[in-house]
């Protein structure tokens, strides 16, 4: 069974839908651990409610690479094969990317390569696009630049606020993230350069 490690910083709603799909037998995987860089992340509590080992790793005082070494140590100790960033609000170091090449996924609230980085939904509103969306991708050395696995478009409505748009995008995130993990767990993702083929 594929072993997952999930990294979060906040409420962990993407993490939760993946936990629930695994529990229902929809994804052939198990969660080895959930790690947060924020002590008060609500997602830690939710993961523990599902009897998943979930803990805080303190980044304070550590360089990016030293913190990532700590995370990778915890992941490898538990034989984690695929790492899921689920609202993990830190940039991953090249060290981490090399240790888990094409084995780290991220969910982002825009149709990449549009609006990378923070506040993808706010950026879409400020730009005035009519369509934005959600993207699941593998993580490479750049910020939200890795090979794209799945995307889902979401319309931007005239009366949208950052909150209403985020909510509409989140619904799609909750569909495509578990699906991408399922495809990976079934061995159906092939990465060829920047392109991901679904077998
Ligand atoms: C999600 O909307 C995710 O796409 C976004 O943070 C939210 C986390 O929600 N991630 C990023 O913006 C990454 N740059 P969640 O904790 O409820 O899954």
């Amino acid at each position: 069974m594929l072993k997952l490690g999930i990294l979060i910083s906040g409420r962990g709603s993407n993490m939760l839908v993946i936990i629930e799909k695994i529990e229902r037998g929809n994804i052939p995987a198990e969660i080895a651990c959930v790690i947060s860089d924020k002590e008060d992340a609500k997602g830690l509590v939710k993961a523990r409610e599902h009897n998943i080992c979930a803990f805080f790793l303190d980044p304070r005082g550590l360089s990016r690479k030293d913190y990532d070494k700590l995370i990778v140590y915890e992941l490898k100790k538990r034989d984690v094969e695929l790492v899921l960033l689920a609202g993990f609000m830190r940039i991953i170091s090249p060290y981490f990317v090399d240790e888990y090449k094409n084995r780290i996924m991220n969910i982002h609230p825009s149709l990449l390569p549009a609006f990378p980085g923070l506040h993808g939904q706010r950026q879409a509103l400020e730009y005035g696009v009519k369509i934005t969306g959600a993207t699941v991708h593998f993580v490479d050395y750049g910020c939200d630049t890795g090979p794209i696995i799945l995307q889902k478009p979401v319309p931007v409505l005239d009366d949208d606020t950052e909150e209403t748009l985020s909510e509409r995008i989140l619904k799609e995130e909750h569909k495509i993230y578990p699906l991408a993990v399922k495809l990976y767990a079934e061995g159906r993702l092939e990465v060829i350069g920047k392109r991901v083929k679904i077998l």
Side-chain angles (χ1 to χ4, degrees):
M1 195 84 94
L2 177 74
K3 287 203 173 169
L4 304 174
I6 305 185
L7 306 189
I8 61 168
S9 298
R11 72 187 157 186
S13 71
N14 278 288
M15 171 203 75
L16 200 61
V17 288
I18 290 165
I19 291 176
E20 286 167 357
K21 294 256 180 201
I22 289 173
E23 285 176 347
R24 284 192 221 113
N26 288 329
I27 303 175
E30 61 188 285
I31 298 172
C33 62
V34 171
I35 301 174
S36 172
D37 65 329
K38 294 275 188 303
E39 196 164 16
D40 59 353
K42 299 233 164 48
L44 285 177
V45 180
K46 289 184 204 159
R48 288 184 197 124
E49 284 168 6
H50 289 260
N51 295 320
I52 291 165
C53 157
F55 54 94
F56 162 62
L57 277 186
D58 195 347
R60 276 169 298 187
L62 295 179
S63 69
R64 194 183 296 286
K65 184 175 177 188
D66 283 345
Y67 183 62
D68 285 358
K69 275 187 172 172
L70 204 61
I71 293 182
V72 168
Y73 171 79
E74 294 292 340
L75 296 172
K76 295 226 159 152
K77 197 163 88 181
R78 294 173 177 80
D79 298 321
V80 166
E81 298 159 285
L82 178 69
V83 181
L84 306 178
L85 309 185
F88 187 61
M89 295 309 194
R90 290 175 64 88
I91 291 174
I92 297 295
S93 64
Y95 162 79
F96 194 166
V97 175
D98 286 339
E99 290 293 316
Y100 277 95
K101 185 129 181 55
N102 286 337
R103 294 190 299 142
I104 307 171
M105 281 186 192
N106 182 42
I107 180 84
H108 185 78
S110 77
L111 287 180
L112 291 172
F115 315 129
L118 291 176
H119 310 299
Q121 307 94 329
R122 191 188 305 168
Q123 292 185 59
L125 281 173
E126 282 169 358
Y127 197 95
V129 292
K130 302 292 186 192
I131 296 171
T132 182
T135 302
V136 186
H137 64 94
F138 285 113
V139 174
D140 67 3
Y141 298 130
C143 174
D144 299 326
T145 54
I148 289 171
I149 304 164
L150 293 172
Q151 293 189 295
K152 203 71 192 277
V154 171
V156 180
L157 307 181
D158 287 347
D159 56 356
D160 261 338
T161 60
E162 193 177 341
E163 203 170 61
T164 59
L165 180 59
S166 299
E167 234 170 77
R168 196 172 316 112
I169 294 173
L170 194 65
K171 281 197 188 127
E172 300 306 327
E173 294 183 31
H174 290 173
K175 291 178 197 157
I176 62 172
Y177 210 0
L179 178 56
V181 177
K182 182 181 164 76
L183 290 169
Y184 185 97
E186 292 172 349
R188 293 173 57 198
L189 296 180
E190 190 184 352
V191 185
I192 308 155
K194 281 283 285 176
R195 301 181 75 181
V196 179
K197 207 158 104 183
I198 297 173
L199 308 170

